[in-house]
Amino acid sequence: MDRLETRELHYFVTVAQELHFAKAAERLGISQPPLSRAIARLERRVGTALLHRTSRRVELTPAGESFLADAQTILEAIAAAPRRARQAARGDRLIVAARPGTSAGLLADVLQVYERQDDALPVHIVFTDNQAGALRDGTADVGLLCGTDDLSEVRTEELIPERSVALVPAGHRYAAYPEVSAGELRQDPAYQPSPPSTALHEIVDLVALGKLVVVVGESIRHRLGPDVVAVPMADDPGTMLVLAWHPRSLAALRDGFMRAARTVAEERFTANPTG
């Protein structure tokens, strides 16, 4: 059998997923005739029919179903190779993806527990608004994400629920409010719709100085100090914080951090079982 090309495998997997040549060609950004020829050439190389075609529909043959599973595994392994190479090149350190402001208090607690472990690695925090993307491309090993994020291609484990709070200076007019709306926050010149990509203590310092009003996760409450007040957001349904990782990331890098995250989540649930 001639050597297969990854492009042909990609074409076949797309057709198998769509079961429609025109839709598959549109998704691939090519015209239908070259796609049909590529699939026919692939079937000749494999030596058997992979698809059963009629004027009404396209179906996988039994051989096609078997080949599809193998083709997906091969393409996933090829996609994972650069990611695993980057992880190996970094050496012995753990990279955690974190969104500024969200889950910051939980992350700080997890890091304290993790760093007490005998097998703990040096930790580098990557602040990004696309944590799942950092996990998918191998930039990060593990992350704390919101359950409402795009979690495609990553695995997750629920940790704790979290609601949103607005951080304002202690002397701010909203500091005494039982809750504040997004509309009210937008009236403040210091308001920013998302936290700056920086460490938690720097965000808190900016708020204390009156340079920033911003919405973050409530898990940072106990790390604010007397100069900053966390005001609950009105009509906020909250979210579930999840531990996330890519299934092809190196388990040896992430396992200790995952144990620490579970420990902190269990402690918080025990202290406040109603969330």
Side-chain angles (χ1 to χ4, degrees):
M1 185 179 68
D2 294 337
R3 180 177 297 176
L4 299 178
E5 299 179 4
T6 56
R7 177 174 57 88
E8 293 174 325
L9 297 180
H10 183 50
Y11 284 2
F12 171 73
V13 168
T14 304
V15 173
Q17 291 172 338
E18 296 291 344
L19 293 179
H20 194 286
F21 272 84
K23 291 181 179 178
E26 181 179 0
R27 180 172 152 191
L28 291 165
I30 62 175
S31 60
Q32 185 173 337
L35 176 60
S36 298
R37 290 194 296 270
I39 296 300
R41 184 168 57 249
L42 175 63
E43 289 178 315
R44 288 195 298 272
R45 290 182 176 180
V46 173
T48 188
L50 303 174
L51 298 167
H52 177 64
R53 310 162 180 81
T54 69
S55 59
R56 290 176 170 265
R57 60 194 303 176
V58 176
E59 296 178 334
L60 286 168
T61 65
E65 292 179 357
S66 174
F67 190 79
L68 173 61
D70 289 337
Q72 289 174 318
T73 299
I74 292 169
L75 292 175
E76 289 172 0
I78 291 172
R83 178 190 311 112
R84 294 174 69 87
R86 287 193 293 269
Q87 289 177 327
R90 292 201 309 258
D92 290 337
R93 65 170 175 159
L94 177 73
I95 299 184
V96 180
R99 179 178 296 151
T102 302
S103 75
L106 175 64
L107 176 57
D109 289 346
V110 172
L111 288 176
Q112 284 188 347
V113 173
Y114 173 69
E115 289 167 355
R116 291 198 296 263
Q117 297 180 9
D118 293 337
D119 58 350
L121 300 172
V123 177
H124 176 67
I125 309 297
V126 175
F127 290 104
T128 173
D129 289 328
N130 186 16
Q131 298 148 283
L135 297 175
R136 284 189 285 264
D137 67 18
T139 301
D141 304 305
V142 67
L144 295 176
L145 283 68
C146 295
T148 52
D149 290 340
D150 175 12
L151 301 176
S152 59
E153 299 180 42
V154 300
R155 292 182 180 171
T156 63
E157 180 177 324
E158 290 188 351
L159 293 176
I160 59 171
E162 180 169 72
R163 295 192 62 192
S164 297
V165 294
L167 297 187
V168 299
H172 197 282
R173 65 183 184 279
Y174 295 149
Y177 282 26
E179 60 182 21
V180 64
S181 69
E184 289 172 316
L185 291 179
R186 284 193 291 269
Q187 297 174 16
D188 193 303
Y191 172 69
Q192 291 186 19
S194 59
S197 297
T198 187
L200 173 61
H201 70 273
E202 295 180 8
I203 294 174
V204 173
D205 287 345
L206 288 171
V207 175
L209 293 171
K211 303 295 185 182
L212 177 66
V213 170
V214 70
V215 176
V216 298
E218 66 179 350
S219 62
I220 72 169
R221 279 181 181 271
H222 64 296
R223 297 183 174 275
L224 295 181
D227 298 323
V228 176
V229 175
V231 184
M233 291 295 296
D235 302 321
D236 172 42
T239 187
M240 177 63 69
L241 297 181
V242 301
L243 184 66
W245 66 97
H246 194 278
R248 291 188 179 272
S249 63
L250 299 178
L253 292 177
R254 66 171 190 264
D255 282 354
F257 184 87
M258 293 172 67
R259 289 195 303 270
R262 295 183 188 114
T263 297
V264 172
E266 290 171 1
E267 290 174 350
R268 290 199 174 197
F269 180 78
T270 301
N272 186 17
T274 61

